Amino acid sequence: MEVKEVLALLSSVFLITCGVVYGLKYVRIRKNYLLGFEWLIVAFSASNLLLFLVTGFKVGYSISFFLDAFSRAFGVPIVATLGLMAVTHNYRPSFTKDIMIFAVTFAATFVLVLADFVKGLLPYYYLFMWACYTLYLCYFTWRLLRAGESMHALLNTVTTAAALAVAVVYDFLPIPGDEDKMEFMIYALTVWGCQIVQQYYAYGALERTTTASSRPLVMAR
């Protein structure tokens, strides 16, 4: 087994660990089911990718392919954004609405994956959606700066830029000599894992400052 193959396996395990650990933290501690379930879906996708890499099990690849399409098209740009809006816009939908959001976005993913007439446009759609997500993260960074969380703002900027690079390279700028996509996979899985971890702590920092700033208003009433 080559070094890059080992690194690909390790990066898969890293993303799985980040998705499971912080997905459960969002669910159990933050009570944010949109972010929690989305990162658990990412972990499940990476688990199936790991299964394919180790055993060649094609069903695992098919599951990972579909869930990757879901996360790129709707899961991260829409679901994760709505989840982060809990601390930027106090948007906290009911559990029923959370389920409806996932149901609609999963149904839309089936259409994207199965409809032949959109296949040629999919790379552009994925990039457009990630660009929209990046714009929101720029706003998220500004909120962190305004809250005095400069270190979280810096780390959010770094992971946001790195993730945008993944989105661009994914379909438009293949790495020279990376015919098997292993080098790209190592970079992408590592970046996504780091972004999950970084966002969790940035979310917590913004949540704390928002709660603290609202206390004087409550006392004044």
Side-chain angles (χ1 to χ4, degrees):
M1 185 177 290
E2 297 182 12
V3 174
K4 65 178 181 180
E5 292 175 336
V6 174
L7 292 176
L9 296 178
L10 291 176
S11 61
S12 298
V13 173
F14 174 67
L15 180 57
I16 293 167
T17 303
C18 293
V20 171
V21 171
Y22 290 93
L24 291 176
K25 280 179 176 287
Y26 273 116
V27 171
R28 294 176 177 176
I29 300 175
R30 306 294 182 192
K31 304 301 180 183
N32 191 317
Y33 300 107
L34 292 175
L35 284 171
F37 290 152
E38 170 54 24
W39 299 144
L40 289 173
I41 288 170
V42 169
F44 185 62
S45 175
S47 299
N48 280 277
L49 176 61
L50 179 62
L51 178 64
F52 171 73
L53 292 175
V54 173
T55 67
F57 187 51
K58 292 185 178 180
V59 174
Y61 175 80
S62 298
I63 294 173
S64 180
F65 176 82
F66 174 80
L67 294 178
D68 180 65
F70 166 76
S71 290
R72 294 174 68 196
F74 304 107
V76 174
I78 295 178
V79 177
T81 296
L82 291 175
L84 290 172
M85 285 175 64
V87 291
T88 59
H89 295 77
N90 198 30
Y91 177 72
R92 299 179 184 274
S94 65
F95 183 73
T96 302
K97 287 185 178 179
D98 289 344
I99 297 300
M100 290 176 61
I101 290 170
F102 276 106
V104 171
T105 51
F106 263 106
T109 303
F110 272 107
V111 174
L112 284 181
V113 172
L114 298 177
D116 292 332
F117 67 92
V118 299
K119 286 186 178 179
L121 299 175
L122 272 181
Y124 301 96
Y125 175 76
Y126 289 145
L127 184 58
F128 171 76
M129 293 302 290
W130 203 274
C132 293
Y133 177 59
T134 300
L135 287 176
Y136 172 77
L137 289 182
C138 290
Y139 169 75
F140 191 78
T141 301
W142 176 75
R143 288 293 300 269
L144 287 167
L145 283 172
R146 197 174 72 169
E149 299 289 346
S150 56
M151 182 55 68
H152 284 298
L154 174 61
L155 293 175
N156 193 67
T157 300
V158 172
T159 56
T160 298
L164 180 60
V166 171
V168 174
V169 172
Y170 205 122
D171 293 305
F172 297 97
L173 295 173
I175 300 173
D178 188 31
E179 286 78 11
D180 56 5
K181 299 287 186 180
M182 284 291 182
E183 294 177 18
F184 170 75
M185 188 186 307
I186 294 166
Y187 173 72
L189 299 182
T190 303
V191 167
W192 290 335
C194 290
Q195 190 171 41
I196 289 173
V197 176
Q198 180 275 321
Q199 278 187 5
Y200 178 81
Y201 293 106
Y203 179 102
L206 202 53
E207 187 176 49
R208 287 192 300 272
T209 57
T210 302
T211 302
S213 63
S214 65
R215 284 175 183 168
L217 295 176
V218 174
M219 293 176 64
R221 291 175 184 173

